[in-house]
Every structure is written in C-alpha cells, then in structure tokens.
Amino acid sequence: MSNITVNITELKQLLEATPASHNIMLVGNHGIGKSEILTEFFREKGMPVVALFLGQMADPGDLIGLPTKDEKTGKTEFMPPYWFPVDGKPIVLFLDELNRARPEILQTVMDLALNRKLAGKYLPDGSRIISAVNAGDQYQLTDLDPALVSRFNIVNFKPTAEEWLLWARKAQLDARVIGFIDENRMWLDKDPDMKEGADMGLDKTPDRRAWKRVSDIIMGKDELKEINTKIISSIVGPKAAAAFIQNAATRKIISGREILSGFDKAKVRDAIADYGIHQLSVVNEGIYRHLEVEKVQEKDIKTYADNLMSYFEYLTKKRKEAAAHFANIYVQQTYQEAIGFIATKCPMLVMMLVSYVKGIK
C-alpha cells in the first residue's frame, strides 16, 4: 500500500494541521489503539468523540435514526439517532470498521462524508469525520467504492513499539509485560513466524490490547501458575505465551531506575558487564522512559545526574555501540521530559552526547 505512514506523534501533528472540513481515513491493524488515541487527543480540545462501529450495523436506520411522521406537514422525517449532537456543538464522528459495513450503510456514509449531512440534518460547524479501516487478507472486508474513498485523506497508521512502551509505563502495566515487549518487539502486534497474509482463522495472536489484558491478569502475582499460563495463552496465543513465560522466569534486565539510582554501586556495574548490545539498548531506553514518566524527587536529582554521567562515560570507554545508541536516543528527541532533565541537570552530558553523535558521523 503506497499511502503515507504515520506514528502516534505524527498522527497528532497531522490532526492539528488538517482542516476540520477534511475527512481522514486511518488504515491499520486491529488493536493498535486508534479510538483511544483519538479520544484522548480531542478530549484535550474539549471535543467529544462519538465512535460508531459500522461493521455491527444491520440497517441504515441504525445510523440515520428511525422515521416518524411530522404531524404539521404530514411528511416523513427521521428522528435524530442517539449520538447526533442536538446542542449545536461540534463533535468528532469516528466511523470504525468502515470497510466491514454493509453496502447500504456505506451509501448513507457517502452523503455524510461529502455534505456533512445525515437524513437532512447537518453536523454542527467544526465537526470532524474520521474513519478507520482494516487492511489485510486476514479480515472479512467490503470493497469500498472509489467515490467514497475519494472523500477521505488516507493515512496508514502504525504506532511504534517505543510509543507503546512509553504508554505502557505511564499506564503502569506489569513490569514483566513491559520488559518482555522491550526485549522482543516482534511479538507486540503479531506472531513473527506467521506468514504475511496467512489465514489465521481462530488462531489467537498478540496485539497491543491483548498485552494490556495479560498485564491485568498477572498484576500482583509474583508466581505464575499453570492456570495463569492458560489464560495468557487464550489472550495472545500459545507461542507468544510460551515466549513470555520463559522470559518472565529468567534473570531480569537492570532497569533504568536502577542505573539512575545505583550505577555507583558495584553490583549494578557487575550486572551489566556481560550484557550484549541488545540488552544495553533495553537499558538505555529504560533510562529515558523512567525520566519521561517519573517525576524525579528533589533529593534524587544529584544522584541521578551523577550516575547518568558515569553510565555514559562507562559506555564510551567500554561499550561504544551502546554509547552511540544512547546518544542517538537523545538526538531523536522522542522523550521530551527526559531531554529536559538532561539539559538542565546534566549540561556537561549534553555536550558529550552531541559531540559523540558528531564524532560517529
């Protein structure tokens, strides 16, 4: 598919820059958080998001409302559906599962997308229409009329693993789930061994919503019993569950918090001494995510700053690939709060990071 691809950060920028009169169609897999992201984005702007699952609608009446007779004119008109804004305030109408809708539903959407009108009633000025479609041979889909497609700006939506991990940390998902995905990102959205376009049938595979449910199941359970394993398998599939359980049972990778609060301790340095570049990359991301999500207490600022400087100096002397990875994260500016901490509390480190990146180039 040749449409442009955006992550969460880029999607928000796109929504900010696109006029409300433009309709947007998001193309992506299920379970990647489309409705949650839109709801959060527009809630901050004071606009309600009305999500309509078109694939579940059996009749146009579900969308446009029921007919009734106007006693004054003797003509038939339609009662507004439950979601229609009668207060005149703009809304965001999220048409989910657009390409699972029946053809007669899609005909109704045509007028809505073109004229912002439904059964003779106009959406309030400033309202937005955003649709979402699934793409892939694994879905049972309805072919969309080119005339309908032309009414939308089309964007492939693909959130990055880093964005999900940052969200998971803020949402306080179980650390074992976060750690597993951090080390095994290929398991976040699918079974990495499954061929593209394969018919999954009822075979369960992982997605982002599923890992949140796994976290709900294991939260507060230090030991995972057989029944927990079976429940996890029912959520993400047996292969993903087996990989997760094995990972949870092995030695834990040092966290970002442990580096920031205790890199001056021998046991922390010894723990990372044998780490490969992949494990050190996980540690690096963990440091930035911790600074991004957690508010550093006044009493810990100097300790964190000193340990951060010592950690990067250690990488530059003994693990140059990991040092380059750490510096590149800073330059990419994904973690704004973390960058702010480094810039204000570790000014010498900023010069080292910028200089190191320039040296690589």
Side-chain angles (χ1 to χ4, degrees), residues 197-212:
D199 181 8
M200 294 185 297
L202 291 178
D203 291 338
K204 193 67 175 164
T205 57
D207 59 53
R208 298 171 188 229
R209 277 195 302 245
W211 288 116
K212 168 63 170 64

Side-chain angles (χ1 to χ4, degrees), residues 205-255:
T205 57
D207 59 53
R208 298 171 188 229
R209 277 195 302 245
W211 288 116
K212 168 63 170 64
R213 296 203 298 272
V214 170
S215 174
D216 294 340
I217 289 296
I218 68 174
M219 185 68 73
K221 298 181 175 66
D222 294 333
E223 181 182 352
L224 300 182
K225 300 180 180 179
E226 184 179 356
I227 187 61
N228 302 128
T229 301
K230 290 184 176 180
I231 295 173
I232 295 169
S233 295
S234 74
I235 297 171
V236 296
K239 290 173 65 177
F244 170 74
I245 295 297
Q246 182 179 10
N247 181 273
T250 57
R251 181 169 63 95
K252 176 175 77 74
I253 289 182
I254 287 288
S255 68

